[in-house]
Amino acid sequence: MYRAVYKYYYDVTRFNLAFSILIGALRGVLSGVIMLGTLGMVIGLLCYQYFQKDQYYFYYNLGLSKPKLITITWVINAAACLLILIVLQDV
Amino acid sequence: MFELSIVGMAKAYKSQVVLNGLEFSCSSGNILGLMGRSGSGKSTLMKILFGALEADAGEVILDSKQVNMSRVNSGKRMAYLPQSSFLPKDISVWSAIKMYHPDRSVQSNLLRDPRVMEIKERSIRSLSYGLQRYLEVVLVVNLDRQLVLLDEPFSLIEPQYRDAVNDSLIRNKENKVIVITDHYYLDILSIADKKILIKEGKAFTIENEADLVKYGYIPKSKLN
């Protein structure tokens, strides 16, 4: 189960990361980090929906619903975003 | 022993009625074959059963419990093979097996299949469509679920894999209801314990090719 969740997280977050790094490069590190837990997530989910939506059935068969997958991914990224912001504040 | 019952299933897309009070039932340990022309509602029914599409009316009762059709049944009661390929392409066959079947005894069983053993280390992307489809069927059918829904499992796969899919279904039908739909009606006729033709939104029980001719699914010239 964890392997499957990690696979989904990785697939969504790679789009998110690409977008957040781009924003970070254009508007500064802080903006990039904030994007990771907010709009970047939306971009990641939209890209997954566009390119890999049939793969949701892979997860449904394992008992992982779409809301459950999205919630897990969002919580991890929001926590990572918060953690990085706290570290950046201390630096 | 349990039963799958479909009662008064109805679905329309705008003004086009696809399912019109469809009813049938099937006991566990059986393969139920669904046939019908393109657009007759086979895939629609599969999606409704899995909860991926909402019906306008009707009930699904599985093992005396009503199935909630308002959301995807991603629980432990059903498994679904959609028409299109659903495996992530950038993982290996072995990774997919481990994700779907963490139980080592099931993994060993799957690897006893020489076709699966041969491709174990390959990525899903590198497999031919037929092999991918075969792997998908094997992964889904071996899940411990009461209801297994297979939408076109024979689609575009080579004849030797068709036989392997048939074997896999027969091996795994115990304690399950397997619902299978495909245009390869000869495969359906040979493997299914109960056969149904969907026509004009209703279900008709089929016994043989002559019945398919009678209901206009195949022309008389196709009779063996």
Side-chain angles (χ1 to χ4, degrees):
Chain A
M1 187 73 84
Y2 293 113
R3 287 172 199 270
V5 171
Y6 173 74
K7 175 70 186 131
Y8 177 81
Y9 173 79
Y10 171 82
D11 281 350
V12 170
T13 304
R14 64 187 173 159
F15 294 119
N16 180 355
L17 261 182
F19 175 76
S20 299
I21 288 170
L22 180 71
I23 295 296
L26 293 174
R27 305 196 61 175
V29 176
L30 193 64
S31 299
V33 173
I34 292 169
M35 283 300 142
L36 189 69
T38 54
L39 189 62
M41 247 322 275
V42 177
I43 299 287
L45 290 170
L46 287 175
C47 288
Y48 189 87
Q49 181 70 26
Y50 186 77
F51 294 111
Q52 292 166 262
K53 71 172 177 187
D54 288 335
Q55 291 176 20
Y56 273 116
Y57 287 107
F58 181 78
Y59 301 100
Y60 294 159
N61 281 331
L62 292 172
L64 293 163
S65 65
K66 199 168 171 179
K68 196 189 258 181
L69 288 165
I70 292 172
T71 305
I72 293 169
T73 307
W74 208 305
V75 165
I76 294 172
N77 281 343
C81 172
L82 268 177
L83 199 69
I84 298 169
L85 284 176
I86 290 167
V87 171
L88 283 178
Q89 212 172 25
D90 288 345
V91 172
Chain B
M1 187 79 152
F2 60 89
E3 189 145 304
L4 165 74
S5 300
I6 313 291
V7 185
M9 189 61 67
K11 176 74 185 172
Y13 295 106
K14 293 183 181 164
S15 60
Q16 189 197 351
V17 176
V18 181
L19 303 175
N20 187 14
L22 188 103
E23 302 207 346
F24 61 81
S25 62
C26 186
S27 316
S28 58
N30 285 304
I31 298 173
L32 172 73
L34 287 179
M35 290 171 279
R37 293 194 161 184
S38 296
S40 62
K42 306 182 299 293
S43 295
T44 297
L45 177 63
M46 292 288 219
K47 284 182 183 163
I48 288 172
L49 291 176
F50 194 59
L53 187 67
E54 210 165 336
D56 297 336
E59 285 181 2
V60 179
I61 297 156
L62 182 63
D63 196 10
S64 308
K65 292 175 205 124
Q66 193 165 341
V67 174
N68 184 348
M69 294 186 297
S70 61
R71 60 180 168 78
V72 171
N73 285 291
S74 56
K76 296 290 182 190
R77 298 180 77 194
M78 292 188 197
Y80 176 52
L81 175 83
Q83 255 181 39
S84 50
S85 178
F86 69 91
L87 291 176
K89 302 289 174 280
D90 55 349
I91 60 172
S92 69
V93 170
W94 179 231
S95 294
I97 291 173
K98 283 191 288 186
M99 283 186 207
Y100 257 52
H101 301 285
D103 187 326
R104 282 174 192 270
S105 63
V106 181
Q107 289 173 7
S108 305
N109 273 338
L110 291 177
L111 292 178
R112 272 193 209 116
D113 181 340
R115 295 171 202 87
V116 176
M117 188 64 197
E118 203 175 297
I119 58 170
K120 182 185 158 195
E121 302 300 336
R122 289 174 60 183
S123 75
I124 305 284
R125 181 176 281 115
S126 73
L127 304 178
S128 66
Y129 183 82
L131 260 177
Q132 256 184 61
R133 199 62 176 160
Y134 177 65
L135 178 66
E136 289 176 344
V137 173
V138 167
L139 288 175
V140 169
V141 165
N142 279 280
L143 285 168
D144 183 20
R145 304 287 190 271
Q146 287 182 311
L147 178 59
V148 176
L149 305 161
L150 306 174
D151 198 349
E152 301 198 356
F154 302 111
S155 169
L156 297 177
I157 67 172
E158 299 153 46
Q160 75 264 32
Y161 293 123
R162 293 235 291 273
D163 293 341
V165 167
N166 281 340
D167 292 343
S168 180
L169 296 182
I170 290 165
R171 268 200 314 274
N172 285 285
K173 71 178 185 177
E174 202 183 339
N175 301 321
K176 287 175 188 167
V177 173
I178 298 179
V179 182
I180 175 172
T181 172
D182 212 292
H183 288 294
Y184 292 92
Y185 63 90
L186 292 176
D187 286 303
I188 300 271
L189 287 175
S190 72
I191 196 176
D193 302 291
K194 185 170 183 177
K195 300 117 191 156
I196 281 171
L197 178 78
I198 301 179
K199 189 182 177 186
E200 291 161 7
K202 305 264 188 203
F204 299 91
T205 302
I206 297 293
E207 293 298 334
N208 48 38
E209 284 178 82
D211 288 341
L212 292 176
V213 173
K214 188 171 90 181
Y215 290 109
Y217 179 62
I218 57 170
K220 204 172 180 180
S221 57
K222 290 267 185 188
L223 271 183
N224 286 325

Short mmCIF file of all heavy atoms in Angstrom, two decimals, chain A residues 24-65:
data_model
loop_
_atom_site.label_atom_id
_atom_site.label_comp_id
_atom_site.label_asym_id
_atom_site.label_seq_id
_atom_site.Cartn_x
_atom_site.Cartn_y
_atom_site.Cartn_z
N GLY A 24 10.16 29.67 -8.32
CA GLY A 24 11.27 30.04 -7.43
C GLY A 24 12.36 30.78 -8.19
O GLY A 24 12.93 31.76 -7.70
N ALA A 25 12.66 30.30 -9.40
CA ALA A 25 13.71 30.92 -10.21
C ALA A 25 13.28 32.31 -10.69
O ALA A 25 14.09 33.23 -10.78
CB ALA A 25 14.02 30.03 -11.41
N LEU A 26 12.01 32.44 -10.96
CA LEU A 26 11.51 33.72 -11.49
C LEU A 26 11.22 34.75 -10.39
O LEU A 26 11.50 35.94 -10.56
CB LEU A 26 10.23 33.50 -12.31
CG LEU A 26 10.36 32.72 -13.62
CD1 LEU A 26 8.99 32.45 -14.22
CD2 LEU A 26 11.22 33.49 -14.62
N ARG A 27 10.67 34.27 -9.26
CA ARG A 27 10.18 35.23 -8.25
C ARG A 27 10.82 35.08 -6.88
O ARG A 27 10.38 35.69 -5.92
CB ARG A 27 8.66 35.09 -8.12
CG ARG A 27 7.95 35.25 -9.46
CD ARG A 27 6.51 35.50 -9.31
NE ARG A 27 6.26 36.74 -8.56
CZ ARG A 27 5.07 37.26 -8.36
NH1 ARG A 27 4.02 36.64 -8.83
NH2 ARG A 27 4.90 38.36 -7.67
N GLY A 28 11.80 34.24 -6.76
CA GLY A 28 12.51 34.09 -5.50
C GLY A 28 12.16 32.79 -4.79
O GLY A 28 11.08 32.21 -5.02
N VAL A 29 13.06 32.36 -3.91
CA VAL A 29 12.93 31.07 -3.22
C VAL A 29 11.64 30.98 -2.41
O VAL A 29 10.93 29.97 -2.44
CB VAL A 29 14.15 30.84 -2.28
CG1 VAL A 29 14.00 29.55 -1.47
CG2 VAL A 29 15.43 30.79 -3.09
N LEU A 30 11.31 32.05 -1.71
CA LEU A 30 10.12 32.05 -0.86
C LEU A 30 8.85 31.74 -1.67
O LEU A 30 8.02 30.91 -1.27
CB LEU A 30 9.98 33.40 -0.14
CG LEU A 30 8.98 33.46 1.00
CD1 LEU A 30 9.38 32.53 2.13
CD2 LEU A 30 8.81 34.87 1.51
N SER A 31 8.73 32.39 -2.82
CA SER A 31 7.57 32.15 -3.69
C SER A 31 7.52 30.69 -4.14
O SER A 31 6.46 30.05 -4.16
CB SER A 31 7.61 33.04 -4.93
OG SER A 31 7.58 34.38 -4.55
N GLY A 32 8.70 30.17 -4.50
CA GLY A 32 8.79 28.77 -4.94
C GLY A 32 8.33 27.81 -3.86
O GLY A 32 7.57 26.87 -4.11
N VAL A 33 8.76 28.08 -2.62
CA VAL A 33 8.39 27.20 -1.50
C VAL A 33 6.88 27.27 -1.24
O VAL A 33 6.23 26.24 -1.04
CB VAL A 33 9.19 27.57 -0.23
CG1 VAL A 33 8.69 26.78 0.97
CG2 VAL A 33 10.67 27.32 -0.44
N ILE A 34 6.35 28.47 -1.28
CA ILE A 34 4.89 28.62 -1.04
C ILE A 34 4.10 27.90 -2.13
O ILE A 34 3.09 27.24 -1.85
CB ILE A 34 4.50 30.12 -0.95
CG1 ILE A 34 5.09 30.71 0.33
CG2 ILE A 34 2.98 30.30 -0.97
CD1 ILE A 34 5.01 32.21 0.43
N MET A 35 4.58 27.98 -3.37
CA MET A 35 3.91 27.29 -4.49
C MET A 35 3.84 25.77 -4.26
O MET A 35 2.87 25.13 -4.62
CB MET A 35 4.67 27.55 -5.80
CG MET A 35 4.43 28.90 -6.39
SD MET A 35 2.70 29.14 -6.76
CE MET A 35 2.51 30.84 -6.29
N LEU A 36 4.90 25.23 -3.65
CA LEU A 36 4.98 23.78 -3.43
C LEU A 36 3.77 23.25 -2.65
O LEU A 36 3.26 22.17 -2.93
CB LEU A 36 6.28 23.47 -2.65
CG LEU A 36 6.66 22.00 -2.49
CD1 LEU A 36 7.07 21.41 -3.84
CD2 LEU A 36 7.81 21.85 -1.49
N GLY A 37 3.30 24.06 -1.70
CA GLY A 37 2.16 23.59 -0.88
C GLY A 37 0.83 24.16 -1.31
O GLY A 37 -0.20 23.87 -0.69
N THR A 38 0.82 24.99 -2.35
CA THR A 38 -0.45 25.63 -2.74
C THR A 38 -0.74 25.40 -4.24
O THR A 38 -1.16 24.31 -4.62
CB THR A 38 -0.41 27.13 -2.41
OG1 THR A 38 0.75 27.72 -3.04
CG2 THR A 38 -0.34 27.38 -0.90
N LEU A 39 -0.47 26.42 -5.05
CA LEU A 39 -0.82 26.33 -6.47
C LEU A 39 -0.07 25.20 -7.20
O LEU A 39 -0.62 24.58 -8.12
CB LEU A 39 -0.53 27.68 -7.15
CG LEU A 39 -1.05 27.84 -8.57
CD1 LEU A 39 -2.57 27.72 -8.63
CD2 LEU A 39 -0.61 29.17 -9.16
N GLY A 40 1.15 24.91 -6.75
CA GLY A 40 1.93 23.82 -7.37
C GLY A 40 1.20 22.49 -7.25
O GLY A 40 1.24 21.66 -8.15
N MET A 41 0.53 22.31 -6.12
CA MET A 41 -0.26 21.08 -5.90
C MET A 41 -1.38 20.99 -6.94
O MET A 41 -1.62 19.93 -7.53
CB MET A 41 -0.92 21.15 -4.52
CG MET A 41 -0.47 20.18 -3.45
SD MET A 41 -0.10 18.53 -3.91
CE MET A 41 -1.68 17.74 -3.89
N VAL A 42 -2.05 22.13 -7.13
CA VAL A 42 -3.15 22.15 -8.12
C VAL A 42 -2.61 21.83 -9.51
O VAL A 42 -3.20 21.02 -10.24
CB VAL A 42 -3.85 23.54 -8.11
CG1 VAL A 42 -4.93 23.60 -9.16
CG2 VAL A 42 -4.41 23.84 -6.73
N ILE A 43 -1.47 22.44 -9.84
CA ILE A 43 -0.86 22.17 -11.16
C ILE A 43 -0.50 20.69 -11.27
O ILE A 43 -0.77 20.04 -12.29
CB ILE A 43 0.43 23.04 -11.34
CG1 ILE A 43 0.08 24.53 -11.29
CG2 ILE A 43 1.17 22.67 -12.62
CD1 ILE A 43 -0.63 25.08 -12.48
N GLY A 44 0.09 20.14 -10.21
CA GLY A 44 0.46 18.72 -10.20
C GLY A 44 -0.74 17.82 -10.43
O GLY A 44 -0.69 16.89 -11.24
N LEU A 45 -1.83 18.12 -9.75
CA LEU A 45 -3.04 17.30 -9.87
C LEU A 45 -3.66 17.43 -11.26
O LEU A 45 -4.11 16.44 -11.84
CB LEU A 45 -4.07 17.70 -8.81
CG LEU A 45 -3.70 17.32 -7.38
CD1 LEU A 45 -4.66 17.98 -6.39
CD2 LEU A 45 -3.72 15.81 -7.20
N LEU A 46 -3.66 18.66 -11.79
CA LEU A 46 -4.22 18.87 -13.13
C LEU A 46 -3.40 18.12 -14.18
O LEU A 46 -3.95 17.50 -15.09
CB LEU A 46 -4.29 20.36 -13.47
CG LEU A 46 -5.36 21.17 -12.73
CD1 LEU A 46 -5.23 22.66 -13.06
CD2 LEU A 46 -6.76 20.68 -13.10
N CYS A 47 -2.07 18.19 -14.05
CA CYS A 47 -1.19 17.49 -15.00
C CYS A 47 -1.42 15.98 -14.91
O CYS A 47 -1.49 15.28 -15.93
CB CYS A 47 0.28 17.81 -14.73
SG CYS A 47 0.73 19.47 -15.20
N TYR A 48 -1.54 15.47 -13.68
CA TYR A 48 -1.77 14.03 -13.51
C TYR A 48 -3.10 13.65 -14.15
O TYR A 48 -3.21 12.65 -14.85
CB TYR A 48 -1.77 13.66 -12.02
CG TYR A 48 -1.79 12.17 -11.78
CD1 TYR A 48 -0.62 11.44 -11.74
CD2 TYR A 48 -3.00 11.48 -11.65
CE1 TYR A 48 -0.62 10.06 -11.56
CE2 TYR A 48 -3.00 10.10 -11.46
CZ TYR A 48 -1.83 9.41 -11.42
OH TYR A 48 -1.84 8.04 -11.24
N GLN A 49 -4.11 14.48 -13.91
CA GLN A 49 -5.44 14.22 -14.47
C GLN A 49 -5.38 14.21 -16.00
O GLN A 49 -6.03 13.40 -16.65
CB GLN A 49 -6.41 15.31 -13.98
CG GLN A 49 -7.84 15.18 -14.45
CD GLN A 49 -8.58 14.00 -13.82
OE1 GLN A 49 -8.24 13.57 -12.72
NE2 GLN A 49 -9.57 13.48 -14.51
N TYR A 50 -4.57 15.09 -16.56
CA TYR A 50 -4.49 15.20 -18.02
C TYR A 50 -3.69 14.05 -18.63
O TYR A 50 -4.10 13.44 -19.62
CB TYR A 50 -3.87 16.54 -18.41
CG TYR A 50 -3.88 16.79 -19.89
CD1 TYR A 50 -5.04 17.18 -20.55
CD2 TYR A 50 -2.72 16.60 -20.66
CE1 TYR A 50 -5.05 17.38 -21.92
CE2 TYR A 50 -2.72 16.80 -22.02
CZ TYR A 50 -3.89 17.19 -22.65
OH TYR A 50 -3.90 17.38 -24.02
N PHE A 51 -2.54 13.74 -18.03
CA PHE A 51 -1.63 12.77 -18.64
C PHE A 51 -1.83 11.33 -18.15
O PHE A 51 -1.50 10.39 -18.85
CB PHE A 51 -0.16 13.16 -18.38
CG PHE A 51 0.25 14.43 -19.05
CD1 PHE A 51 0.53 15.57 -18.31
CD2 PHE A 51 0.37 14.51 -20.43
CE1 PHE A 51 0.91 16.75 -18.92
CE2 PHE A 51 0.75 15.69 -21.06
CZ PHE A 51 1.02 16.82 -20.30
N GLN A 52 -2.30 11.16 -16.92
CA GLN A 52 -2.29 9.81 -16.34
C GLN A 52 -3.61 9.42 -15.67
O GLN A 52 -3.61 8.57 -14.78
CB GLN A 52 -1.16 9.73 -15.29
CG GLN A 52 0.23 9.82 -15.88
CD GLN A 52 1.29 10.07 -14.82
OE1 GLN A 52 1.72 11.19 -14.62
NE2 GLN A 52 1.73 9.03 -14.14
N LYS A 53 -4.71 10.03 -16.08
CA LYS A 53 -5.96 9.82 -15.33
C LYS A 53 -6.41 8.36 -15.30
O LYS A 53 -7.03 7.92 -14.33
CB LYS A 53 -7.07 10.74 -15.82
CG LYS A 53 -7.63 10.40 -17.17
CD LYS A 53 -8.84 11.24 -17.46
CE LYS A 53 -9.32 10.92 -18.85
NZ LYS A 53 -10.38 11.75 -19.33
N ASP A 54 -6.09 7.59 -16.35
CA ASP A 54 -6.49 6.18 -16.35
C ASP A 54 -5.84 5.40 -15.20
O ASP A 54 -6.35 4.37 -14.78
CB ASP A 54 -6.11 5.51 -17.68
CG ASP A 54 -6.99 5.99 -18.83
OD1 ASP A 54 -8.12 6.41 -18.55
OD2 ASP A 54 -6.53 5.94 -19.98
N GLN A 55 -4.72 5.93 -14.73
CA GLN A 55 -4.00 5.22 -13.66
C GLN A 55 -4.70 5.32 -12.31
O GLN A 55 -4.32 4.62 -11.37
CB GLN A 55 -2.57 5.74 -13.56
CG GLN A 55 -1.73 5.34 -14.77
CD GLN A 55 -0.33 5.92 -14.78
OE1 GLN A 55 0.18 6.32 -13.74
NE2 GLN A 55 0.28 5.98 -15.94
N TYR A 56 -5.71 6.16 -12.20
CA TYR A 56 -6.47 6.20 -10.94
C TYR A 56 -7.08 4.81 -10.64
O TYR A 56 -7.19 4.42 -9.49
CB TYR A 56 -7.57 7.25 -10.97
CG TYR A 56 -7.10 8.63 -10.54
CD1 TYR A 56 -7.09 9.69 -11.43
CD2 TYR A 56 -6.65 8.86 -9.24
CE1 TYR A 56 -6.65 10.95 -11.04
CE2 TYR A 56 -6.20 10.10 -8.84
CZ TYR A 56 -6.20 11.15 -9.75
OH TYR A 56 -5.75 12.39 -9.35
N TYR A 57 -7.42 4.08 -11.71
CA TYR A 57 -7.99 2.74 -11.49
C TYR A 57 -6.98 1.80 -10.83
O TYR A 57 -7.37 0.88 -10.13
CB TYR A 57 -8.49 2.15 -12.82
CG TYR A 57 -9.76 2.79 -13.30
CD1 TYR A 57 -9.75 3.65 -14.39
CD2 TYR A 57 -10.97 2.56 -12.67
CE1 TYR A 57 -10.91 4.26 -14.83
CE2 TYR A 57 -12.13 3.16 -13.09
CZ TYR A 57 -12.10 4.01 -14.17
OH TYR A 57 -13.26 4.62 -14.59
N PHE A 58 -5.72 2.03 -11.10
CA PHE A 58 -4.66 1.25 -10.45
C PHE A 58 -4.80 1.37 -8.93
O PHE A 58 -4.67 0.39 -8.20
CB PHE A 58 -3.30 1.79 -10.93
CG PHE A 58 -2.11 1.07 -10.35
CD1 PHE A 58 -1.70 -0.15 -10.85
CD2 PHE A 58 -1.36 1.64 -9.32
CE1 PHE A 58 -0.59 -0.80 -10.33
CE2 PHE A 58 -0.25 1.00 -8.80
CZ PHE A 58 0.14 -0.23 -9.32
N TYR A 59 -5.08 2.58 -8.49
CA TYR A 59 -5.17 2.84 -7.04
C TYR A 59 -6.54 2.44 -6.48
O TYR A 59 -6.63 1.95 -5.36
CB TYR A 59 -4.88 4.32 -6.76
CG TYR A 59 -3.50 4.71 -7.25
CD1 TYR A 59 -3.33 5.38 -8.46
CD2 TYR A 59 -2.37 4.35 -6.53
CE1 TYR A 59 -2.06 5.69 -8.93
CE2 TYR A 59 -1.10 4.66 -7.00
CZ TYR A 59 -0.95 5.34 -8.19
OH TYR A 59 0.30 5.63 -8.66
N TYR A 60 -7.60 2.67 -7.27
CA TYR A 60 -8.95 2.27 -6.80
C TYR A 60 -8.96 0.79 -6.42
O TYR A 60 -9.54 0.40 -5.42
CB TYR A 60 -10.00 2.49 -7.89
CG TYR A 60 -10.26 3.93 -8.27
CD1 TYR A 60 -10.83 4.24 -9.49
CD2 TYR A 60 -9.95 4.98 -7.41
CE1 TYR A 60 -11.08 5.54 -9.87
CE2 TYR A 60 -10.19 6.29 -7.79
CZ TYR A 60 -10.75 6.56 -9.02
OH TYR A 60 -11.01 7.85 -9.39
N ASN A 61 -8.32 -0.03 -7.26
CA ASN A 61 -8.31 -1.47 -7.00
C ASN A 61 -7.58 -1.83 -5.72
O ASN A 61 -7.75 -2.92 -5.19
CB ASN A 61 -7.67 -2.21 -8.18
CG ASN A 61 -8.63 -2.37 -9.34
OD1 ASN A 61 -9.84 -2.44 -9.14
ND2 ASN A 61 -8.10 -2.41 -10.54
N LEU A 62 -6.74 -0.91 -5.24
CA LEU A 62 -6.01 -1.16 -4.00
C LEU A 62 -6.72 -0.56 -2.79
O LEU A 62 -6.20 -0.57 -1.69
CB LEU A 62 -4.60 -0.56 -4.11
CG LEU A 62 -3.68 -1.26 -5.11
CD1 LEU A 62 -2.39 -0.48 -5.28
CD2 LEU A 62 -3.37 -2.67 -4.65
N GLY A 63 -7.91 0.00 -3.02
CA GLY A 63 -8.66 0.60 -1.92
C GLY A 63 -8.28 2.05 -1.68
O GLY A 63 -8.60 2.61 -0.63
N LEU A 64 -7.57 2.66 -2.64
CA LEU A 64 -7.16 4.06 -2.47
C LEU A 64 -8.03 4.93 -3.37
O LEU A 64 -7.88 4.91 -4.59
CB LEU A 64 -5.69 4.22 -2.86
CG LEU A 64 -4.68 3.54 -1.94
CD1 LEU A 64 -3.33 3.40 -2.63
CD2 LEU A 64 -4.54 4.31 -0.64
N SER A 65 -8.92 5.68 -2.75
CA SER A 65 -9.80 6.54 -3.54
C SER A 65 -9.05 7.82 -3.93
O SER A 65 -8.02 8.16 -3.34
CB SER A 65 -11.05 6.90 -2.74
OG SER A 65 -10.68 7.68 -1.62
#
